[in-house]
């Protein structure tokens, strides 16, 4: 099956770091980009950088990318659906949380045209001037269809991700939020705790700061208001993990206090194990991959249900190709996974009632 | 005053990452290096890399650098003092903690020839093969004289630091240990806690790992046995800071749980402040510096007392030059500090009974 292609124009709502970078990546590919921002200065700056032109009322975007702070995601996604009512324009967002904005637009007219997404490419810098067409190169970019997402809309979002150089990672909105609590939000909070201790120490102690503490605290330089919004929008998953961290912190503190070397080493060994499970960066040596084919009834909700079941199988889906020929009642979905996990995925999907084969 | 020069031979005890790197840096400068290790294989590997030659019983080192794991520092420093008894050979170590090894050799014959030190240049890798002559280039390297350290021995250690490309940071042993608890040991433990949460999460969640979590967890890949020794040898300072971290963690957890955005932002803002107080990397734009001159009675203990008082003034000492002409009862010590802090240092030292001027 051919790669999905992206047609323009693409409207970017919110010309900050991510919005400007998406505009630059689309322009690099020759696609028309329309820019909107509540701050006119951001549109001027992003336009000046070549990220697109200001949107006019006559413009008819084929894809709207909502790139606003988490507090405003739901309202701006709803407004984008309303503004494109009666068209088949796709709406996505690039917010750091996916459950809260989805809940805000559940049942909204046209919600089938909405598919959430989230590029794992930020920066401790912000604003359009920090934008770059290559910000997403080789970075994971979550695509999080909901139960009512139109498969064609999912493909359009995948086309955006690939055009920008990102690596698609398919997850359900809820799984996404639990994943980023672990891989992003809690690491950010702990980084801030380490950095906070630096500010309260004697100045001359800091002369001993080496590369280690610089690495651990780098993300803590991010905008507190933005990260306050992100973490607040993912409170349940974050609190659950912070409780785990606190229990482990108590174990470390007691082990060091009591001189229990063995208990201390156990915590450090769990840390080493954690550094080893972080996947190699995309762009590293290729691992052998295999395709798993699944027959999917061609109506809304089935793709999301398949995705949820694939996710529940704990197999990392590297690529999804959807054959959604409208003339057939059953479509075929190709899931690309690590070869070593393909048999497990087939068995897991069949146990959940799907027809699947390698 | 001229820079102190280092005469060889230099004996390196422990041909691991640090010892091999020091050997390579000394060889680069044309200084003879003698290698010792309880594991003969390490000596062969380090020799093969050009870090020096195996020590023979006839060798007479001018400087012994002890580069063994923390648990063994005290015993190996004492053995080095014994082996060089009757000579003026200087003994230093490059261990991550300074109080415990000093306590182990307090009162030991020849302890005036011992001056502790600690380069802030490690790696999550270890062993001689990870060694590099440039490991210390531009890195802070703590020099921690004790109350009985011979000023000439302090100069010899400074000469080693400069030869290896390190940037000397003078601290008392106790201050050093409190400083590294804050800038190294607690960051390492928190990094391990973040990494530990990764190992317990669903595998497909980890596909969302971005650069942030890689940075936060990089140091957690370090050898658990080595870091267990380091942290255990600095238990009091580490536990005191972990208690602070725990109180702050409780504040974050409660703020997220209650949806108290303001309290959450306060913690994040303290984190931002912390990232801003980390000094710019050495090698960055030069800041204006000033010399403060202090008259120092030329007998053991006075230099350490001056250093302790300078440290208590919370001024970062960028360089110390000692004029210890044995023909005079009073020597002159030059302290190089940031210009903006020089007046404060003079006033602070004079209030403590020293004669000081700019």
């Amino acid at each position: 099956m051919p790669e999905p292609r992206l047609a323009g124009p693409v409207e970017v709502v919110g010309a900050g770091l991510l919005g400007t970078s998406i505009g630059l990546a689309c322009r690099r590919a020759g696609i028309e980009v329309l820019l909107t921002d509540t701050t006119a200065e951001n549109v001027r700056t992003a336009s000046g950088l070549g990220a697109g032109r200001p949107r006019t009322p006559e413009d008819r975007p084929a894809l709207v990318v909502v790139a606003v702070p988490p507090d405003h995601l739901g309202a701006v996604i709803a407004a984008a659906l309303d503004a494109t009512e009666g068209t088949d324009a796709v709406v996505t967002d690039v917010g750091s949380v996916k459950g809260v904005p989805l809940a805000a637009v559940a049942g909204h007219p046209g919600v089938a045209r909405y598919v959430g997404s989230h590029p794992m490419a930020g920066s401790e810098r912000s604003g359009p001037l920090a934008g770059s067409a290559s910000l997403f190169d080789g970075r994971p970019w979550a695509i999080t269809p909901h139960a009512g997402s139109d498969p064609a809309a999912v493909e359009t979002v995948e086309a955006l991700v690939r055009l920008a150089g990102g690596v698609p990672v398919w997850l359900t909105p809820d799984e996404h939020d639990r994943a980023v609590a672990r891989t992003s939000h809690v690491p950010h909070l702990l980084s801030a705790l380490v950095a906070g201790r630096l500010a309260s120490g004697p100045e001359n102690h800091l002369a001993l700061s080496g590369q280690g503490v610089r690495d651990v605290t780098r993300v803590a330089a991010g905008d507190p208001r933005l990260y306050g919004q992100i973490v607040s929008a993912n409170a349940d998953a974050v609190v659950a993990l912070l409780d785990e961290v606190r229990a482990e912190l108590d174990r470390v503190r007691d082990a060091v206090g009591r001189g229990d070397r063995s208990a201390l080493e156990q915590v450090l060994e769990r840390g080493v194990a954690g550094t080893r499970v972080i996947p190699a960066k995309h762009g590293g040596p290729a691992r052998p991959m295999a395709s798993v084919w699944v027959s999917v009834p061609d109506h809304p909700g089935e793709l999301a249900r398949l995705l949820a079941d694939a996710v529940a199988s704990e197999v990392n889906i590297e690529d999804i190709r959807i054959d959604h020929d409208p003339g057939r009642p059953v479509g075929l979905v190709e899931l690309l996974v690590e070869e070593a996990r393909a048999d497990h995925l087939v068995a897991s999907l069949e146990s959940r009632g799907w027809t699947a084969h390698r």
Side-chain angles (χ1 to χ4, degrees), chain A:
Chain A
M1 302 171 200
E3 292 280 337
R5 301 238 355 242
L6 184 64
V10 171
E11 177 179 359
V12 174
V13 183
L17 168 69
L18 292 180
T20 301
S21 297
I22 289 168
L24 290 167
C26 288
R27 291 298 304 135
R28 180 178 62 179
I31 291 172
E32 186 173 13
V33 176
L34 319 169
L35 299 169
T36 315
D37 197 300
T38 51
T39 304
E41 174 70 18
N42 281 353
V43 171
R44 275 195 299 274
T45 304
S47 300
L49 292 168
R53 63 169 175 81
R55 184 193 167 161
T56 69
E58 292 72 38
D59 286 319
R60 293 288 170 271
L63 170 64
V64 183
V65 181
V66 175
V68 302
D71 280 356
H72 305 289
L73 283 172
V76 178
I77 294 165
L81 289 171
D82 293 344
T84 52
E85 205 180 343
T87 75
D88 56 1
V90 173
V91 177
T92 188
D93 73 300
V94 292
S96 303
V97 289
K98 301 272 64 91
V100 164
L102 177 60
V105 296
H108 199 90
V111 71
R113 294 184 285 113
Y114 166 67
V115 178
S117 83
H118 178 208
M120 306 310 295
S123 170
E124 61 278 20
R125 300 166 63 208
S126 60
L129 282 170
S132 161
S134 59
L135 186 67
F136 311 104
D137 279 352
R139 303 286 185 179
W141 189 326
I143 303 175
T144 61
H146 58 87
S149 288
D150 180 344
V154 177
E155 285 203 301
T156 299
V157 174
E158 179 190 350
L160 172 71
V161 171
R162 295 200 182 277
L163 174 148
V167 178
V169 176
W170 282 268
L171 287 168
T172 58
D174 278 356
E175 287 285 317
H176 166 276
D177 286 358
R178 296 206 301 125
V180 290
R182 193 179 294 274
T183 60
S184 175
H185 304 169
V186 165
H188 190 102
L189 291 174
L190 277 273
S191 174
L193 293 192
V194 173
R197 294 309 91 206
L198 297 179
S200 61
E203 184 194 333
N204 52 352
H205 283 191
L206 300 176
L208 293 188
S209 303
Q211 193 53 44
V213 70
R214 286 175 214 276
D215 284 347
V216 174
T217 59
R218 187 184 61 83
V219 294
D223 179 5
R225 279 178 306 282
L226 175 61
Y227 280 93
Q229 291 186 29
I230 293 172
V231 168
S232 299
N234 200 15
D236 289 350
V238 168
V239 165
L241 273 174
L242 286 182
D243 285 343
E244 285 185 31
V245 168
R246 190 194 146 133
E248 190 88 334
L249 179 62
D250 285 349
R251 273 190 288 275
V252 176
R253 191 248 176 252
D254 291 349
V256 178
R258 284 183 292 109
D260 183 345
R261 189 73 69 90
S262 162
L264 172 58
E265 283 182 10
Q266 279 171 28
V267 174
L268 293 169
E269 277 159 12
R270 278 194 285 275
V272 172
T275 64
R276 291 192 177 144
V277 295
I278 297 179
K281 270 191 202 178
H282 294 284
R287 294 155 296 164
M289 304 299 281
S291 290
V292 169
W293 302 85
V294 191
S295 304
V296 180
D298 198 12
H299 55 79
E302 287 302 296
L303 179 66
R305 194 167 70 78
L306 168 62
L307 188 64
D309 285 346
V311 164
S313 308
E314 296 202 6
V315 176
N316 193 28
I317 310 296
E318 300 277 339
D319 200 357
I320 299 184
R321 306 283 170 79
I322 307 158
D323 175 9
H324 63 111
D325 178 347
R328 284 187 299 166
V330 173
L332 208 52
V333 170
E334 178 186 2
L335 302 174
L336 199 70
V337 300
E338 221 174 315
E339 187 168 29
R341 301 286 283 161
D343 285 341
H344 167 75
L345 180 61
V346 169
S348 175
L349 289 178
E350 292 194 323
S351 77
R352 290 171 160 89
W354 298 92
T355 301
H357 68 275
R358 289 188 57 171

